[in-house]
Amino acid sequence: MSTVQKEIRLEDYTPSPFLIPETRLNVVVKSEYVEIQSELKIIRNRKINHSGPLTLNGSGLSLKSISKNDKQLDPSEFEITENDLTIFNPDNDFTLTTVVTIDPEKNSQLSGLYASKHGYFTQCEAEGFRRITYFLDRPDILSRFTTVISAPKERFPVLLSNGNLVHTDETNETSVVTWVDPHPKPCYLFAMVLGRLEKREKMFQTKSGRSVTLQIYAPTNQIGQTEFAMAALERSMKWDEDRFDLEVDLDQYMIVAVDDFNMGAMENKGLNIFNTKYVLADPDISTDRDFMLLDRVVAHEYFHNWTGNRVTCRDWFQLSLKEGLTVFRDQEYGADVYSKGVQRIQEVRNLRTIQFPEDSGPMAHPIRPSAYIEINNFYTATVYEKGAEVVRMIHTLLGEENFQKGMKLYFDRHDGQAVTTEDFVLAMEDASGIDLKQFRRWYTQAGTPVLEVEDAFDATKQTYTLSFKQHFGHSKYKSNQPVQIPLKLKLFNGNDVGQDEVLVNLTKSEEEFSFDNIPQRPTPSFLRDFSAPIILEYDYDNKDLYFLLANDDNAFSRWEAAQKLQSRLILELYKQDKCEGKFNFDPSFISALKISLNDKEIDDAFKSELFATPSEIELAELFDFLDPIQLHWARNTLREHIAESLEPHFLDQYHKLVDDELYSPDHRSAGVRALKNVCLNFLCTSNKKDHSGLAFEQFMRATNMTARLGALQALAYSDSPRRNEAIDLFYERWQTEPLAVDKWLSIQAASSTGDIPKVVQSLMQHEAFDIKNPNKVFSLLRTFASNHVHFHSGDGAGYELLSDAIIQLDDINPQVAARLSRSFDSWKKFDSVRQSHARKSMEAILNKPNLSKDTGEIISKTLNN
């Protein structure tokens, strides 16, 4: 049974009474364990009044010796508990030396120093360093690290750590290396890699003329798949110099790929450790989206070198200080490298699918939380994606020039410091002269603002008036105060000509804005570029949405019109009894889609987004209570209608779209493949004619994974007799490629055809699945939990399957178990029978002996919400 865990609160933050300006680690790999000697130069923090003991964090360590200023401590001078080492009478300034042993081979949590197939790797964010040695494991303790590693050179020919390699020594059997990081850093940015890896190397010349060595390490059989990552690293470094005037600050910059990793990647100073998913790329195993995400993630981790490393977080409540800001930076990079409009659409879809439900669910929290039990549970879409939207709004309010002035002032003031979100906002204020006092509420209030809009047109005065009412949709946010909302809008005057886009700055619960010299009632285009993370409610006529779909010059707003039209039709279908007969669709809807499909002025990537149907998870946010079976039917019925109405047009487009013989992941080429897959998917959705043969032919003849996977998805989500054949052929061909196998697992878990809970149970016993590998777990189980209709099956089989897996995972890797536990967030949206099944499954988790605080916090909050 989970025990009550102590809540950590922001208001209780106090500076550390001790500092550690210098750290020296001596790491020696033995045959059965790793010995770590740490020499910590410790001084009292003279800015605060404290005369008490020194308490260091430590978990899972076996202490062999402890000394102060080279003198062994008597057992009466210190105390060891499960999570701490306390020195009772420390001096003001002294050197503390400890020797501990750890066993990376038994570390299934993948936190601290752990074993993977090709060596030993570290993950120290958020609190993994305490699993390596005793330390003040908090982000406001900045220390200069020297790391000496000694290991058998045949077993571990590559020995890496942060900073610069200053010394190498070898004997017949052992290698010894010394790494010195010149920049003070918190211990969560410490990294170490000991393994059998190959290296790709390239020189990069900075804007100021310095030469920097870039290295990417991966297993021998995977090093050939790192070429694109190296190009992405160079591109992102150049972009950061051009856009933010920021250069790399080390002589050497390294990236390492590892199969077993809880995160996507980690920005350790000068030694980024990546999940292979985001550093290996090859057209044969990677889709166009894989290439784009890899590019963005490489950029994201590099951008952290300044926004996160050089200026870091004072405490973990400030996590969005580095993550929200860096996500915004990688979004801007993506907009410059790829299609700005398509990138923005994909970002908004991700926000609405993951973060909006989070804001209305049991784990809702502000981007700067006020309390937590387990910090690993707050690496959320709210901190990252909503945090990025908040930075984007500052950029919108200030403009590019003032925003860049704010960034420069932020670095001038705080380089080499651990600071707060308040420090960032204050730099923006001081640099721009713009008051952001009210804007700060975005950092402290949870929930998604709802903006209700009404309009009135006075033909006599030629005046158009917009009335805005701001509130927070969920009842638990009644006490929230109005936030500052930058609203981009444009008025179209009845044809394709409109006024210039304007920025309306909303600050009150209710306010009005009037526009003069408007000769006729306009069609408004609201929230252009999705200028604020809000829900905007305006009663559009269908004809206005058709107009915006055909004429809006803002990519996001044009896509939004298509989304609103589809959502409206799905909701109308949802209210209809399936037995009533054929639904009467507005022919104007199909006409508008047909025009868009055949419009030669629209690029193919954007066309593919226009035809994307809102997901069931996103649609569920429109309901307080819903029937997942009925929603699934309604959404599928609309897709079948689109498919059958435009069947000849989809077929014509499919055959006209020709993929380049030589693969390239660039925006234009990727757009061709994306639209071709959209057409194929709709063709296989149609009940008029069986197009599975076309899909199977594409599957067999595909020369890249994007085309191959698009065909497999079309088959896997259908009742085609070729479905199972294609699934089996895919595994037979790609079973030795872990990232391809992840796709194979996901496709089956996401299918709407068949008894998917049983399919997933069977796959959990398959040789391709490894419950200790996070990529495999997320590919199969998290994908299944996102399969709305099957996870929420009426018999509770989906809930039971997942809860059993979470119970098993909690003993192996609590972080992964906790992330899967978020799948129960929406359980109260469903009928009493489903709620009963979900409650039973969650109570089974909560009753697990020795339940981790990671999983316990989430399940407790979900049950009690």
Side-chain angles (χ1 to χ4, degrees):
M1 172 82 67
S2 177
T3 57
V4 177
Q5 300 288 342
K6 180 182 178 182
E7 191 173 57
I8 299 170
R9 304 187 63 82
L10 172 59
E11 64 185 24
D12 296 331
Y13 170 83
T14 56
S16 172
F18 294 91
L19 305 175
I20 309 177
E22 300 286 344
T23 298
R24 182 181 178 90
L25 297 179
N26 292 283
V27 180
V28 181
V29 179
K30 307 284 189 178
S31 58
E32 296 181 356
Y33 59 87
V34 174
E35 180 183 277
I36 297 173
Q37 180 192 67
S38 71
E39 298 176 10
L40 311 180
K41 181 180 178 181
I42 299 175
I43 62 175
R44 282 196 184 271
N45 186 349
R46 288 164 174 81
K47 294 182 179 180
I48 64 174
N49 184 20
H50 180 272
S51 59
L54 164 67
T55 299
L56 301 176
N57 309 111
S59 177
L61 308 175
S62 178
L63 181 67
K64 297 303 180 185
S65 69
I66 179 170
S67 61
K68 184 172 66 174
N69 295 333
D70 295 326
K71 182 182 177 181
Q72 289 291 319
L73 289 184
D74 187 89
S76 64
E77 296 180 273
F78 66 94
E79 180 183 56
I80 296 178
T81 65
E82 184 180 358
N83 297 305
D84 297 309
L85 166 64
T86 300
I87 312 297
F88 293 125
N89 296 299
D91 300 329
N92 286 337
D93 301 333
F94 62 99
T95 298
L96 182 72
T97 304
T98 62
V99 177
V100 303
T101 60
I102 57 177
D103 187 353
E105 299 289 345
K106 294 181 179 178
N107 183 359
S108 64
Q109 295 184 28
L110 311 186
S111 173
L113 181 67
Y114 65 91
S116 186
K117 183 178 180 182
H118 298 284
Y120 291 168
F121 303 82
T122 57
Q123 172 57 29
C124 294
E125 187 177 2
E127 296 177 338
F129 192 73
R130 65 189 61 189
R131 294 170 58 82
I132 295 174
T133 191
Y134 289 105
F135 204 79
L136 289 173
D137 193 355
R138 46 188 289 172
D140 57 351
I141 300 298
L142 276 62
S143 186
R144 284 186 172 86
F145 280 75
T146 297
T147 306
V148 182
I149 309 171
S150 174
K153 67 180 183 181
E154 184 172 342
R155 184 180 173 197
F156 300 106
V158 173
L159 304 176
L160 309 175
S161 193
N162 310 85
N164 299 313
L165 179 64
V166 298
H167 182 71
T168 300
D169 188 20
E170 289 189 4
T171 66
N172 290 335
E173 297 181 352
T174 304
S175 294
V176 181
V177 298
T178 302
W179 292 83
V180 176
D181 190 345
H183 300 282
K185 65 174 179 286
C187 65
Y188 83 83
L189 291 173
F190 173 79
M192 190 165 56
V193 172
L194 299 76
R196 183 169 292 281
L197 304 165
E198 293 294 327
K199 176 177 65 177
R200 178 185 295 274
E201 185 171 285
K202 197 164 188 181
M203 298 303 295
F204 177 82
Q205 188 170 60
T206 69
K207 195 174 184 179
S208 64
R210 290 191 306 111
S211 292
V212 179
T213 303
L214 308 183
Q215 297 171 331
I216 298 181
Y217 290 85
T220 303
N221 66 324
Q222 296 174 331
I223 196 67
Q225 299 172 17
T226 62
E227 182 178 0
F228 183 79
M230 181 64 83
L233 178 59
E234 290 184 281
R235 186 164 48 244
S236 59
M237 294 172 77
K238 178 69 166 58
W239 183 90
D240 214 18
E241 290 180 341
D242 294 342
R243 177 75 182 273
F244 285 89
D245 197 27
L246 296 173
E247 282 191 10
V248 64
D249 55 0
L250 290 168
D251 299 329
Q252 189 170 357
Y253 195 92
M254 299 168 284
I255 289 175
V256 179
V258 59
D259 286 327
D260 302 292
F261 203 65
N262 285 337
M263 308 286 191
M266 180 61 209
E267 72 269 18
N268 314 298
K269 184 68 177 178
L271 178 56
N272 294 179
I273 299 180
F274 272 63
N275 189 317
T276 51
K277 181 178 180 180
Y278 294 114
V279 75
L280 303 180
D282 184 280
D284 231 15
I285 63 169
S286 308
T287 64
D288 294 331
R289 182 164 177 78
D290 291 333
F291 274 94
M292 183 273 293
L293 289 175
L294 185 157
D295 197 354
R296 289 270 300 266
V297 173
V298 167
H300 179 98
E301 304 307 331
Y302 172 72
F303 297 156
H304 264 312
N305 190 57
W306 282 89
T307 50
N309 296 3
R310 286 287 287 261
V311 183
T312 195
C313 303
R314 185 196 73 177
D315 53 72
W316 290 121
F317 297 100
Q318 318 299 329
L319 183 58
S320 197
L321 173 77
K322 72 183 185 77
E323 295 301 348
L325 177 56
T326 305
V327 169
F328 167 75
R329 278 162 37 79
D330 89 54
Q331 288 178 349
E332 291 293 281
Y333 168 82
D336 286 346
V337 174
Y338 300 93
S339 163
K340 181 178 180 179
V342 171
Q343 289 284 298
R344 191 66 186 135
I345 288 166
Q346 292 173 351
E347 290 156 5
V348 173
R349 180 190 294 118
N350 185 56
L351 192 78
R352 287 175 171 172
T353 304
I354 301 174
Q355 197 282 318
F356 276 23
E358 187 169 273
D359 247 349
S360 62
M363 286 296 290
H365 58 277
I367 65 171
R368 188 185 68 191
S370 59
Y372 64 80
I373 291 173
E374 172 50 62
I375 184 56
N376 287 320
N377 290 336
F378 283 81
Y379 284 74
T380 61
T382 297
V383 164
Y384 281 68
E385 278 71 33
K386 186 175 181 179
E389 295 301 317
V390 170
V391 175
R392 181 177 296 278
M393 286 189 289
I394 293 176
H395 182 273
T396 300
L397 289 167
L398 271 59
E400 171 70 5
E401 183 178 352
N402 278 332
F403 185 83
Q404 291 294 348
K405 288 179 181 178
M407 291 293 290
K408 185 177 187 306
L409 182 59
Y410 176 61
F411 291 124
D412 288 346
R413 283 179 176 175
H414 302 298
D415 188 13
Q417 297 178 14
V419 299
T420 67
T421 55
E422 181 68 22
D423 293 315
F424 173 74
V425 178
L426 186 60
M428 290 292 164
E429 277 187 323
D430 291 347
S432 66
I434 295 174
D435 184 358
L436 296 173
K437 181 179 179 181
Q438 182 185 2
F439 186 85
R440 286 170 170 80
R441 292 173 185 168
W442 280 102
Y443 285 91
T444 58
Q445 295 184 163
T448 305
V450 177
L451 190 65
E452 296 179 0
V453 187
E454 293 184 353
D455 61 351
F457 175 66
D458 189 323
T460 303
K461 296 180 179 180
Q462 293 193 346
T463 300
Y464 181 66
T465 303
L466 291 170
S467 301
F468 299 96
K469 289 184 179 180
Q470 179 189 153
H471 64 89
F472 285 76
H474 202 287
S475 60
K476 64 183 177 181
Y477 300 128
K478 285 182 179 178
S479 62
N480 278 9
Q481 295 178 291
V483 291
Q484 187 173 5
I485 299 175
L487 183 74
K488 290 183 182 179
L489 66 87
K490 183 172 182 176
L491 304 179
F492 289 89
N493 63 10
N495 53 45
D496 60 352
V497 178
Q499 293 191 338
D500 291 338
E501 180 181 275
V502 297
L503 180 67
V504 176
N505 187 16
L506 301 172
T507 59
K508 301 175 183 176
S509 296
E510 297 186 22
E511 48 196 319
E512 279 188 358
F513 289 85
S514 292
F515 300 85
D516 298 324
N517 301 316
I518 306 296
Q520 63 189 64
R521 174 179 283 277
T523 299
S525 170
F526 294 114
L527 203 61
R528 294 162 67 80
D529 294 324
F530 198 68
S531 58
I534 64 173
I535 297 170
L536 189 140
E537 296 181 349
Y538 173 76
D539 190 18
Y540 276 110
D541 289 336
N542 277 358
K543 63 180 180 61
D544 289 331
L545 292 175
Y546 295 139
F547 173 84
L548 293 174
L549 175 58
N551 299 288
D552 203 315
D553 57 347
N554 183 267
F556 167 77
S557 297
R558 193 169 183 176
W559 172 81
E560 181 80 323
Q563 293 291 290
K564 287 183 180 296
L565 284 165
Q566 292 188 77
S567 296
R568 185 171 290 181
L569 289 168
I570 290 169
L571 292 180
E572 290 175 4
L573 280 164
Y574 178 86
K575 297 172 186 175
Q576 177 179 301
D577 189 325
K578 285 184 258 186
C579 300
E580 286 181 4
K582 192 169 181 64
F583 184 79
N584 292 319
F585 287 93
D586 183 352
S588 299
F589 172 65
I590 294 298
S591 176
L593 289 181
K594 182 170 69 175
I595 291 171
S596 296
L597 183 64
N598 295 316
D599 189 342
K600 295 181 180 179
E601 299 300 315
I602 306 176
D603 75 73
D604 294 328
F606 181 59
K607 279 184 188 179
S608 69
E609 294 294 346
L610 284 180
F611 279 84
T613 312
S615 71
E616 289 167 40
I617 292 176
E618 186 179 340
L619 291 164
E621 284 301 292
L622 303 175
F623 297 83
D624 291 325
F625 301 98
L626 78 149
D627 177 350
I629 304 297
Q630 182 72 1
L631 181 63
H632 182 69
W633 170 82
R635 182 178 183 274
N636 279 2
T637 299
L638 174 63
R639 286 184 57 80
E640 288 170 6
H641 175 67
I642 295 171
E644 291 166 8
S645 300
L646 295 176
E647 187 171 29
H649 300 277
F650 284 131
L651 194 60
D652 180 58
Q653 283 285 338
Y654 178 84
H655 288 298
K656 283 181 179 178
L657 292 162
V658 179
D659 193 3
D660 293 338
E661 187 172 330
L662 184 63
Y663 176 85
S664 170
D666 69 272
H667 171 70
R668 187 203 63 79
S669 303
V672 170
R673 289 185 289 270
L675 184 57
K676 190 162 188 172
N677 281 340
V678 164
C679 292
L680 181 64
N681 198 285
F682 272 110
L683 288 169
C684 290
T685 300
S686 172
N687 292 317
K688 279 187 175 180
K689 185 179 178 182
D690 181 9
H691 291 282
S692 61
L694 191 65
F696 193 80
E697 181 184 6
Q698 176 175 310
F699 174 78
M700 295 300 292
R701 297 179 62 181
T703 58
N704 58 75
M705 181 56 78
T706 304
R708 186 176 297 108
L709 201 67
L712 184 59
Q713 285 174 327
L715 290 167
Y717 301 168
S718 72
D719 292 319
S720 167
R722 312 300 296 268
R723 176 182 185 273
N724 291 335
E725 182 183 359
I727 289 172
D728 291 343
L729 284 171
F730 186 95
Y731 181 72
E732 182 181 334
R733 172 65 181 83
W734 302 108
Q735 59 185 299
T736 59
E737 291 286 354
L739 297 180
V741 171
D742 292 344
K743 295 175 173 60
W744 181 77
L745 292 170
S746 291
I747 278 184
Q748 295 175 80
S751 176
S752 59
T753 303
D755 189 342
I756 302 304
K758 284 188 177 179
V759 170
V760 172
Q761 282 182 323
S762 175
L763 288 171
M764 288 181 70
Q765 308 305 316
H766 195 281
E767 63 178 4
F769 182 74
D770 180 2
I771 200 166
K772 293 182 179 180
N773 180 271
N775 284 0
K776 296 291 180 283
V777 171
F778 293 144
S779 295
L780 182 62
L781 295 175
R782 190 160 61 181
T783 300
F784 168 67
S786 300
N787 188 333
H788 208 254
V789 68
H790 286 288
F791 177 59
H792 299 292
S793 60
D795 61 0
Y799 301 144
E800 184 178 359
L801 186 160
L802 198 70
S803 66
D804 288 346
I806 290 169
I807 289 169
Q808 184 181 357
L809 271 164
D810 191 68
D811 288 330
I812 299 169
N813 192 327
Q815 287 187 43
V816 173
R819 286 187 220 171
L820 282 185
S821 297
R822 296 294 305 275
S823 305
F824 288 99
D825 279 6
S826 62
W827 71 291
K828 288 190 175 179
K829 280 185 176 289
F830 305 106
D831 58 81
S832 59
V833 173
R834 285 181 172 83
Q835 286 191 31
S836 177
H837 288 310
R839 178 179 290 278
K840 180 180 177 182
S841 291
M842 285 188 283
E843 287 175 345
I845 297 170
L846 209 57
N847 287 327
K848 173 191 174 292
N850 301 314
L851 184 68
S852 70
K853 66 177 182 178
D854 307 61
T855 306
E857 177 181 22
I858 288 176
I859 295 297
S860 296
K861 287 183 176 179
T862 305
L863 272 170
N864 297 323
N865 180 53

